Amino acid sequence: MSFKILSLDGGGVRGLIGLQILQKLEQQKPGFIGQADLIAGTSIGGITALALINGWRVEDLIELFEEDAPKLFWRPRPYGISNLKRLIRPKYNNGGFRDIVDKLFADKTLGDVEGSVIVTAFALDNIESQEADRRWQPRMFHNLGQNDVNNGLKLSDLAMYTGASPCYFPSIDGYVDGGVISNNPGLLALTVTQDKTINLSDRPAVDDIVLLSFGTGKYQNYIEGQRHDWGYWQWRRYMLDLMLEGSVSLTNQQCTHLLNGRYHRINPLLPRRYHADEWQRLDELKQIGQDADIETTVAWLEEHWSSSL
């Protein structure tokens, strides 16, 4: 019996691409999302993962996304007066963010949902009692195992934690966006299933795991030449992409090596760059998702996900 993991990348408004592809696949293979044994997500992918296990349908999430993205990336007028203020304050107030997650989750907690989920975040302070042990560290919030300590956490708070992207939003309760550690949470999800400190009643063997990974679009990133004798000024335009895309690519390679054909990733090529808050281009992003070629993914689902699809 296979153990099915659905993994959802972060990417801000580009998350609409992944939602559109999910909808296309659900139309061709109804019920495949509900057959996932575990849904993992980072940032917008984490919010989507929480919404799916809370009973939201993909088509309703797309409608909510289109309606509320402008409210998410909203700020009171004083934040927009001066570019200087953007250097010392986050670009957006998180009031609209809180309104959206409250609409999605109300007072539901991680222990209230039936499906299994993992969302990533990054703790800026682990608040250890011993000063020598105090540091920032990654966090993976999940409801796997028996009597998990995370079960009392509100889904709305977890959504805020995983989506609190630095520079865009303030940190929330000491947490920032899980994308700073891994924008593609597939390998983290696989690792958690093998964590012996988690009391799983029916732990899957690695050879029984199948993993379907959804990206939010990729760029043709490269730097020509063999030697680059650069300092900060030259590297500054590449550093964020190097760190984010590098970790995504590494996760993709590692999952491929560990799972071979039981791992599949769908991540369409983007025609241009889209900022995480560029909600004005939602129609373009939606079209990219609608135009994505899912033929290979459908064939993979038929072979690895479930013979009943």
Side-chain angles (χ1 to χ4, degrees):
M1 179 70 70
S2 64
F3 185 91
K4 308 171 190 66
I5 299 175
L6 189 64
S7 174
L8 308 172
D9 281 19
V13 294
R14 285 162 40 203
L16 183 58
I17 297 172
L19 282 171
Q20 285 295 151
I21 297 172
L22 275 171
Q23 185 181 44
K24 286 181 65 174
L25 288 170
E26 186 71 18
Q27 288 168 349
Q28 289 208 28
K29 297 296 178 183
F32 93 92
I33 296 174
Q35 292 181 342
D37 297 292
L38 172 63
I39 305 179
T42 290
S43 194
I44 184 60
I47 297 169
T48 300
L50 292 169
L52 290 173
I53 66 160
N54 193 40
W56 280 78
R57 299 182 307 168
V58 174
E59 53 265 41
D60 294 330
L61 289 175
I62 291 173
E63 182 178 345
L64 181 71
F65 200 111
E66 293 177 301
E67 289 178 356
D68 286 356
K71 301 173 188 175
L72 175 64
F73 298 110
W74 170 88
R75 61 181 182 271
R77 187 170 177 79
Y79 283 76
I81 291 176
S82 167
N83 286 334
L84 178 61
K85 285 192 175 182
R86 290 175 56 182
L87 295 176
I88 59 174
R89 292 184 180 180
K91 190 174 181 180
Y92 299 107
N93 181 291
N94 60 16
F97 194 175
R98 173 58 72 179
D99 290 343
I100 292 168
V101 299
D102 284 346
K103 182 189 300 186
L104 282 168
F105 307 114
D107 292 324
K108 288 279 191 72
T109 68
L110 200 52
D112 292 332
V113 295
E114 294 184 6
S116 296
V117 68
I118 298 174
V119 295
T120 65
F122 192 80
L124 299 177
D125 185 353
N126 63 4
I127 320 181
E128 287 286 343
S129 58
Q130 298 295 320
E131 187 63 27
D133 296 327
R134 195 169 180 180
R135 59 182 57 86
W136 55 31
Q137 65 179 23
R139 284 296 307 272
M140 289 172 283
F141 296 101
H142 62 82
N143 58 352
L144 293 168
Q146 300 172 2
N147 300 317
D148 190 88
V149 295
N150 293 325
N151 284 347
L153 297 174
K154 293 176 65 174
L155 299 182
S156 57
D157 288 340
L158 296 180
M160 296 285 285
Y161 299 164
T162 193
S165 180
C167 298
Y168 286 99
F169 297 107
S171 62
I172 308 293
D173 297 339
Y175 293 102
V176 295
D177 194 315
V180 304
I181 51 169
S182 182
N183 212 42
N184 175 353
L187 184 63
L188 296 178
L190 193 159
T191 302
V192 168
T193 67
Q194 304 305 302
D195 186 349
K196 299 302 190 294
T197 66
I198 299 173
N199 186 15
L200 291 179
S201 58
D202 191 14
R203 187 182 309 279
V206 173
D207 288 344
D208 292 329
I209 292 175
V210 295
L211 201 166
L212 177 57
S213 175
F214 286 80
T216 57
K218 60 187 176 184
Y219 303 113
Q220 286 185 298
N221 285 327
Y222 59 89
I223 302 173
E224 290 184 316
Q226 300 301 307
R227 175 179 170 85
H228 302 87
D229 193 17
W230 291 353
Y232 168 78
W233 188 253
Q234 293 92 339
W235 280 112
R236 76 192 191 286
R237 60 178 294 194
Y238 300 107
M239 287 307 297
L240 184 59
D241 283 344
L242 281 171
M243 290 185 289
L244 291 178
E245 294 299 324
S247 70
V248 167
S249 297
L250 180 60
T251 294
N252 189 47
Q253 290 179 16
Q254 291 171 321
C255 288
T256 299
H257 294 325
L258 284 169
L259 302 178
N260 297 308
R262 291 174 286 108
Y263 171 73
H264 179 79
R265 180 164 170 83
I266 182 166
N267 194 27
L269 184 67
L270 298 176
R272 64 178 296 277
R273 291 197 167 272
Y274 295 94
H275 297 296
D277 59 346
E278 207 167 357
W279 60 266
Q280 299 89 343
R281 295 186 178 273
L282 287 180
D283 287 344
E284 293 178 29
L285 296 169
K286 187 174 183 178
Q287 193 62 52
I288 291 170
Q290 290 174 343
D291 293 342
D293 183 0
I294 63 170
E295 183 177 344
T296 302
T297 306
V298 169
W300 183 89
L301 283 170
E302 291 172 346
E303 180 177 359
H304 296 284
W305 200 258
S306 174
S307 58
S308 64
L309 289 174

